[in-house]
Amino acid sequence: MQIKRAVFEISNSDVSKCPKERIPEYAFIGRSNVGKSSLINMLTNQKKLAKTSGTPGKTQLINHFRINDNWFLVDLPGYGYARVSKKVKRTFQSFIKNYFSQREQLICSFVLIDSRHEPQRIDMDFMQFLGENQIPFCIIFTKADKLSPTVLKRNIATYKEKLLADSWDIFPDYFVTSSTSHEGRDQLLAFIGKINEDLRKSSNE
Ligand code: GTP
Ligand code: MG
């Protein structure tokens, strides 16, 4: 799939105010600084469509981007931001959870994991939450450019082991990306394009 058009639509902290249109939607979620906003820029081939920063906590709202006029990419605030109070951490930003549990247009979420790091409890817990709410998700291992192929492979294998030991029967579909080298771009767009195509076919039947 080619991205021919990508435009910012709206920012919200309330899922009930998100766009009402019934078009497919895909959301990026993960720890602060994992590279969610950078990945949106990489996919859309735009430098500043989504705001990025070296300092965690840059994205604070639910941001909708309209792609090719017929689907949305959604950039979300990160979780696990160290400077957030314990209370906020415990409850997780409630609007994010509301977004996931209430957004009917959400077709698939992508949980971004920094490929350099050991598996983290907060990501496991978030995937648990998605599973319990029957929200389909894939994993994206980000910042692949920062590792050698050998270490990258080893880290992904470790992640698989941990997730399978952590009550999951199967490992979800996953992608390996780099926003600097554009690794994983074609695969991710092909995956989304295929789902959009299947949805279009089934709605015409
Ligand atoms: P929050 O909005 O704070 O939750 O963060 P985010 O997940 O949107 O991360 P963001 O895209 O702002 O990127 C955080 C930092 O990581 C920035 O300094 C990016 O330049 C850097 N970064 C993101 N993706 C990559 C990548 O694939 N490779 C490298 N080398 N750096 C990356
Ligand atoms: Mg961001």
Side-chain angles (χ1 to χ4, degrees), residues 14 59-60 74 78 88 93 108 111-112 115 125 135 143 156 164 176 180 196:
D14 183 345
T59 310
Q60 303 260 336
V74 178
V88 171
Q93 289 110 314
C108 183
V111 179
L112 275 64
S115 58
D125 288 348
I135 300 161
K143 308 194 185 184
I156 293 172
L164 294 175
V176 176
T180 50
N196 285 344

Side-chain angles (χ1 to χ4, degrees), residues 33-38 52-53 57-59 78 143 145-146 179:
N33 216 42
V34 69
K36 301 174 292 295
S37 305
S38 302
T52 66
S53 168
K58 180 70 178 173
T59 310
K143 308 194 185 184
D145 57 282
K146 295 203 177 213
S179 295

Side-chain angles (χ1 to χ4, degrees), residues 35-74:
K36 301 174 292 295
S37 305
S38 302
L39 188 58
I40 289 187
N41 291 340
M42 183 272 255
L43 292 175
T44 57
N45 260 332
Q46 293 197 31
K47 286 206 169 71
K48 291 183 179 164
L49 184 63
K51 290 188 186 124
T52 66
S53 168
T55 314
K58 180 70 178 173
T59 310
Q60 303 260 336
L61 296 165
I62 303 167
N63 297 291
H64 276 75
F65 299 95
R66 186 182 289 266
I67 314 295
N68 291 350
D69 298 322
N70 57 16
W71 56 282
F72 284 125
L73 263 181
V74 178

